[in-house]
């Protein structure tokens, strides 16, 4: 745990000194997220949908792109290999590297949600469920980031290798927004971004039938199951393909 | 302290290490020499727990380096052949991080003292990106020594260093040895091995071509006797390993029995009243041994029965 914190501290320092990553991780998604509030996307119905778009944007840039670049360049420069000669566990090396971008997503999502609330003068039905939704996205996209990084030789190469996940998450989010969020739409849930969108909308609008814990749970369950399954699949794939050094 | 038994490492179908047996004793410096691609780094990385042996066993401080990686990481230090430190950090930041990454070390050196010790006292807050190649090598050494290790692996620690920095590094290594630290070192500088090693091995194509103390390694190769013969010199006694180019009066003997053959030569000279000028007798140098053993593949294709054919 303390080694993970040491890595997080180091990664934060590295991110601060990397203006490209800084722009990709902070400026771009934040501006875009704020912009979603002022426009009224035709396929986005309600403020829950706006929040889903914001989180998807953050996941794509702050987490996936920045995370893939960080992992690939640390491996290319043999930094991952070097860290592994320390007492830190492999998991803490990886969590330390991806933790900063993941944390940025959560932080920025919180700020953007607050902005959205202020601008629309509405409030989410459950902040907890919003957090669960955002974390669902972080889990799925985080796992996919390791998969993408496995196929990325360098930070520059990430321009190409991040593309599939970007497209898929955009598609999953958009597709999910076109369906009622309380529908049990397994094909939609199976696409990364789909479950997250449903959970976020649920968090904002509240359950459509009933209001007790049982109603929340029954409507959240499909999204949660999809999240667990996708994260597990991503993790298995990452464990299979991820390499610690450029020479295999 | 450290042993390998029948160690083999493969990269796909290519076998980089082909059955190595070696032992490193506590408190000694063991130097691993060999041509590029001989398998030195691969061998070291299995000791460091970084690579699994495909066959055979390795033991470090009595432990399996894969299973006990965490404990060994606290007790050992590593200089990789290629550094692997983030270019945008400063030496001081790297060392501070490293002490947090080795919480179970018996002791941590003071970060600034460690940097001063390797001669980076004036570069503690500069980005690594801006350091020269030799300065980075010094930083690698500082990282390896920070957790006060019992055993260090140094993979070409002085490559890229200027002569002054190399001398300083040798000094640090000698201090380590004086403190009882065990050192495993690879180098392409034979004089480095001659200066520092208690024992050494020469690797060639994944195998150990020879191993032992410097004296033992050198003794296994023929020494050389050279002299100028006067033009009217009588017939020499037969020397089995004589090398003689007919035209000149130059005598060159290669012999594994240096003392015996030198005595025979001197006795012959005295008996026949011959004046030998430019007389030299010497054991093989480490460079000669290295050259002989690394030319193995060339020899195998040539005529083994004719020692004169050797390069
Ligand atoms: N990841 C890898 N994949 C394939 N082949 C490899 C890999 N790593 C090393 N090799 C090969 O294994 C052999 C031994 O490599 P190694 O790095 O151990 O040599 P070395 O003795 O340290 O050489 P040098 O003096 O150049 O550092 C080389 O032929 C190298 O090409
Ligand atoms: Mg090497």
């Amino acid at each position: 745990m303390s080694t993970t914190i040491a890595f997080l501290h180091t990664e934060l320092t590295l991110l601060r000194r990397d203006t490209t990553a800084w722009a990709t991780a902070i400026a771009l998604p934040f501006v875009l997220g704020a912009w979603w509030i002022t426009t009224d996307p035709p396929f986005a119905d309600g403020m829950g949908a706006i929040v889903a778009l914001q989180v998807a944007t953050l996941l794509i840039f702050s987490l996936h792109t920045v995370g893939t670049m960080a992992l690939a360049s640390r491996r290319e420069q043999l930094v991952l290999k070097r860290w592994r000669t320390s007492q830190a566990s492999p998991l803490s090396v990886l969590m330390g590297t991806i933790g900063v971008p993941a944390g940025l997503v959560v932080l920025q999502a919180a700020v953007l949600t607050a902005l959205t609330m202020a601008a629309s003068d509405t409030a989410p039905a459950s902040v907890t469920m919003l957090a669960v939704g955002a974390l669902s996205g972080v889990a799925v996209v985080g796992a996919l980031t390791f998969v993408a990084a496995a196929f990325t030789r360098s930070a520059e190469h990430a321009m190409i290798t991040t593309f599939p996940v970007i497209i898929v998450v955009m598609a999953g989010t958009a597709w999910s927004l076109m369906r009622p969020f309380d529908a049990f739409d397994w094909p939609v849930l199976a696409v990364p971004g789909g479950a997250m969108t449903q959970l976020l909308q649920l968090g904002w609008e509240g359950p459509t039938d009933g209001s007790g814990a049982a109603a929340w749970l029954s409507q959240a369950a499909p999204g949660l199951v999809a999240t667990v399954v996708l994260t597990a699949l991503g993790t298995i794939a990452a464990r299979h393909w991820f390499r610690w050094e450029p020479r295999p | 302290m450290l042993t390998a038994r029948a160690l083999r490492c493969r990269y796909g179908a290519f076998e980089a290490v082909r059955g190595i047996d070696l032992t490193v004793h506590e408190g000694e410096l063991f130097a691993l020499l060999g041509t590029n691609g001989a398998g030195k780094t691969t061998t070291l990385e299995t000791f460091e727990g970084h690579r699994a042996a495909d066959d055979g066993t390795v033991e470090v401080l009595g432990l399996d380096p894969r299973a006990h990686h965490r404990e060994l990481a606290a007790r050992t230090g590593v200089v990789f052949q290629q550094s692997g430190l983030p270019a945008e950090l400063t030496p001081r930041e790297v060392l501070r991080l490293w002490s947090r990454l080795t919480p179970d070390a018996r002791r941590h050196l003071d970060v600034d003292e460690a940097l001063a010790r390797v001669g980076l006292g004036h570069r503690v807050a500069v980005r690594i990106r801006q350091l020269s190649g030799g300065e980075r090598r010094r930083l690698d050494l500082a990282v390896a020594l920070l957790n006060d290790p019992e055993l260090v692996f140094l993979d070409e620690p002085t490559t890229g260093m200027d002569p002054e920095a190399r001398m300083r590094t040798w000094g640090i290594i000698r201090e380590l040895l004086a403190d009882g630290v065990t050192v495993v070192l690879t180098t392409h500088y034979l004089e480095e091995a001659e200066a520092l090693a208690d024992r050494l091995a020469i690797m060639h194509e994944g195998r150990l071509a020879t191993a032992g103390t410097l004296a033992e390694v050198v003794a296994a190769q023929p020494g050389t006797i050279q002299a100028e013969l006067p033009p009217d010199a009588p017939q020499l006694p037969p020397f089995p390993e004589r090398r003689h180019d007919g035209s000149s009066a130059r005598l060159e003997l290669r012999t594994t029995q240096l003392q015996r053959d030198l005595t025979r030569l001197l006795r012959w000279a005295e008996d026949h009243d011959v004046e030998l000028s430019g007389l030299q007798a010497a054991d093989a140098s480490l460079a000669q041994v290295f050259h002989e053993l690394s030319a193995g593949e060339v020899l195998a294709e040539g005529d083994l029965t004719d020692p004169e054919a050797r390069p």
Side-chain angles (χ1 to χ4, degrees):
Chain A
M1 192 61 207
S2 73
T3 55
T4 311
I5 292 169
F7 284 127
L8 289 172
H9 180 226
T10 301
E11 283 296 327
L12 205 57
T13 308
L14 288 170
L15 182 66
R16 270 208 331 266
R17 293 178 186 168
D18 184 346
T19 25
T20 322
W22 193 238
T24 317
I26 316 273
L28 191 65
F30 203 81
V31 169
L32 218 61
W35 182 70
W36 290 127
I37 304 176
T38 60
T39 57
D40 193 9
F43 49 87
D45 195 13
M47 281 300 139
I50 299 291
V51 171
L53 281 173
Q54 291 167 338
V55 174
T57 312
L58 289 169
L59 289 172
I60 286 171
F61 292 105
S62 303
L63 178 56
H64 187 59
T65 309
V66 172
T68 306
M69 288 197 309
L71 285 168
S73 75
R74 303 286 178 274
R75 175 178 45 217
E76 190 194 14
Q77 295 172 6
L78 300 169
V79 172
L80 294 182
K81 178 176 173 178
R82 176 79 246 190
W83 293 161
R84 281 200 70 185
T85 59
S86 76
Q87 286 193 272
S89 68
L91 192 67
S92 93
V93 176
L94 295 180
M95 288 305 133
T97 310
I98 201 89
V100 167
L104 279 177
V105 170
V106 175
L107 215 77
Q108 294 186 95
V111 174
L112 282 174
T113 305
L115 278 180
T116 310
M117 285 165 67
S120 65
D121 206 16
T122 52
S126 161
V127 175
T128 314
M129 189 51 72
L130 276 188
V132 168
L135 290 176
S136 138
V138 169
V140 173
V141 175
L144 293 178
T145 298
F146 285 109
V147 180
F151 296 97
T152 311
R153 285 186 300 272
S154 65
E156 298 75 47
H157 193 211
M159 290 299 159
I160 299 161
T161 54
T162 50
F163 222 67
V165 172
I166 292 179
I167 298 289
V168 165
V169 170
M170 274 169 37
T173 306
W175 194 14
S176 180
L177 285 177
M178 289 183 244
R179 303 296 180 100
F181 70 88
D182 53 353
F184 286 74
D185 246 340
W186 287 111
V188 175
L189 290 174
V191 184
M196 171 206 75
T197 305
Q198 277 207 356
L199 291 170
L200 285 171
Q201 283 185 287
L202 172 64
W204 195 280
E205 320 288 351
T208 43
D209 97 74
S211 60
W216 279 103
L217 205 65
S218 72
Q219 289 210 0
L224 292 175
V225 170
T227 300
V228 170
V229 171
L230 284 176
T231 308
L233 288 178
T235 307
I236 291 168
R239 286 180 72 108
H240 183 69
W241 280 304
F242 193 80
R243 293 286 173 268
W244 290 88
E245 28 175 336
R247 292 208 300 190
Chain B
M1 195 75 188
L2 185 152
T3 54
R5 292 282 161 265
L7 171 65
R8 287 173 182 274
C9 299
R10 277 183 280 276
Y11 297 106
F14 177 73
E15 194 166 46
V17 175
R18 306 174 185 185
I20 279 191
D21 288 279
L22 64 81
T23 305
V24 178
H25 307 298
E26 188 169 346
E28 75 174 356
L29 187 142
F30 188 91
L32 200 52
L33 310 177
T35 45
N36 292 135
K40 304 180 294 297
T41 298
T42 307
T43 305
L44 244 53
E45 286 185 356
T46 55
F47 287 136
E48 293 154 6
H50 207 78
R51 194 169 287 294
D54 286 305
D55 212 345
T57 54
V58 286
E59 236 181 52
V60 176
L61 302 170
L63 301 169
D64 172 351
R66 294 288 280 186
H68 296 270
H69 174 74
R70 207 182 133 76
E71 179 181 346
L72 288 174
R75 297 171 63 189
T76 59
V78 176
V79 167
F80 277 131
Q81 183 167 3
Q82 288 171 302
S83 154
L85 296 171
E88 298 302 331
L89 292 183
T90 67
R92 191 184 266 153
E93 286 167 341
V94 163
L95 290 197
R96 286 205 179 131
L97 171 64
W98 196 255
S99 53
R100 296 175 69 184
L101 297 183
T102 48
D104 298 336
R106 53 182 175 179
R107 182 173 81 94
H108 285 110
L109 307 190
D110 176 78
V111 164
D112 285 357
E113 263 171 44
L115 288 169
R117 188 176 184 192
V118 297
L120 280 181
H122 60 301
R123 307 287 274 164
V124 294
V126 174
R127 301 273 172 92
I128 293 175
R129 169 169 48 83
Q130 293 164 340
L131 296 181
S132 75
E135 286 173 338
R136 285 183 206 199
R137 228 52 204 125
R138 300 182 198 200
L139 175 59
D140 289 331
L141 188 63
V143 172
L145 302 185
L146 191 71
N147 54 326
D148 192 21
E150 298 160 52
L151 166 67
V152 288
F153 297 101
L154 308 177
D155 200 349
E156 302 193 23
T158 61
T159 295
M161 283 188 181
D162 64 49
E164 137 71 24
R166 177 167 301 140
M167 282 304 148
R168 181 199 281 269
T169 304
W170 289 11
I172 294 172
I173 293 175
R174 288 197 178 103
E175 283 168 28
L176 292 176
L177 294 169
D179 289 345
V181 176
T182 309
V183 183
V184 182
L185 168 102
T186 81
T187 181
H188 288 298
Y189 302 103
L190 299 178
E191 70 275 15
E192 189 161 298
E194 286 175 324
L196 297 173
D198 296 298
R199 292 189 312 124
L200 55 90
I202 299 179
M203 265 189 104
H204 183 60
E205 295 181 342
R207 292 188 183 85
L208 290 193
T210 180
T213 63
L214 181 62
E216 286 165 357
V217 164
V218 158
Q221 286 293 316
T224 319
I225 302 171
Q226 291 178 327
E228 302 286 342
L229 299 178
D232 55 346
Q235 181 71 32
L236 270 172
F239 288 106
E241 296 162 287
R242 179 174 168 202
R243 175 186 296 192
H244 186 66
D245 39 10
S247 59
S248 87
R250 181 151 188 82
L251 169 74
E252 186 172 327
L253 284 175
R254 291 171 51 77
T255 170
T256 48
Q257 301 280 338
L258 189 63
Q259 188 180 343
R260 185 202 66 191
D261 285 351
L262 183 61
T263 313
R264 280 179 71 196
L265 178 66
L266 292 175
R267 195 168 287 141
W268 167 84
E270 190 163 275
D271 289 350
H272 295 82
D273 212 14
V274 171
E275 182 81 13
L276 295 171
S277 56
L279 177 66
Q280 286 183 351
D283 279 333
S285 68
L286 187 56
Q288 278 169 333
V289 177
F290 186 91
H291 193 70
E292 290 284 333
L293 295 175
S294 308
E297 69 218 309
V298 180
L299 259 186
E301 289 160 13
D303 186 359
L304 272 176
T305 58
D306 180 10
E308 314 260 321
R310 292 188 188 191

